[in-house]
Amino acid sequence: AEKLAREVPPLFKIEAKYGGLFRRRSVVAASCVRADRFALRGFDHERMSLGEAFRLLGLRDVEVAVLASPTGWTPDSAERARSAGNIALIDLKQGIAYYKAEDPLLSELVRGLGYAEAPPLSSDEILDSMLLRGEIDENTYRERLRAQRAQSA
């Protein structure tokens, strides 16, 4: 238990109101760690999904969420954060953040925390995520991958 306490970053969850006098938004900031995996295996390399993070943290409907994970984020979670406008996902492993850059509050929060906007996901990463989630079968995956490679050649 002492070793776990030394090696696992502390979990935190903070809820606050943020913004100006007329446009205040409720913000939840939290870190997500699979402490059970660290305890059993001593490591965890699997990227966190947004759904798993919400379950681990006991979150439901949030106005604005800034979530950090030491193992990174799944490609579909990163894409959701980029389009949602109310979620920023910080990848502590790579030191980058996924969020809708057009949202002034998220941009201010992410910059204030010292993180840069992540580069766009590659088409391969998006296809990998779709295959892993079962949204496409292996044959469709291969066909789309071939088509992408043919276009870029």
Side-chain angles (χ1 to χ4, degrees):
E2 289 178 88
K3 182 180 178 190
L4 181 64
R6 284 193 312 271
E7 293 182 13
V8 176
L11 299 176
F12 73 88
K13 182 171 138 185
I14 301 169
E15 297 183 39
K17 296 282 185 190
Y18 193 87
L21 183 62
F22 299 107
R23 179 72 172 118
R24 295 179 64 80
R25 294 164 76 185
S26 177
V27 177
V28 174
S31 66
C32 313
V33 176
R34 296 181 194 96
D36 57 332
R37 291 189 188 181
F38 279 104
L40 293 174
R41 301 182 202 155
F43 64 90
D44 178 19
H45 300 294
E46 184 182 349
R47 291 178 180 182
M48 181 77 64
S49 75
L50 192 54
E52 184 179 14
F54 269 60
R55 281 191 303 281
L56 286 171
L57 296 165
L59 298 176
R60 290 189 184 262
D61 296 323
V62 295
E63 195 171 355
V64 178
V66 179
L67 307 176
S69 170
T71 58
W73 296 96
T74 60
D76 57 313
S77 296
E79 279 303 308
R80 182 163 175 223
R82 284 192 163 128
S83 63
N86 69 331
I87 299 169
L89 301 177
I90 297 175
D91 182 331
L92 297 172
K93 185 190 290 187
Q94 296 183 40
I96 55 178
Y98 303 98
Y99 63 100
K100 189 171 186 175
E102 296 83 12
D103 185 300
L105 174 59
L106 287 177
S107 294
E108 184 179 338
L109 290 170
V110 169
R111 278 194 313 271
L113 292 169
Y115 291 93
E117 183 180 0
L121 293 175
S122 71
S123 299
D124 290 357
E125 289 176 307
I126 294 169
L127 279 177
D128 291 349
S129 178
M130 291 172 71
L131 177 65
L132 291 173
R133 286 191 318 265
E135 293 176 4
I136 58 174
D137 62 25
E138 195 170 337
N139 289 333
T140 305
Y141 172 81
R142 287 183 181 149
E143 289 170 15
R144 289 185 183 179
L145 202 55
R146 272 190 225 109
Q148 284 178 1
R149 300 234 163 101
Q151 282 180 344
S152 62

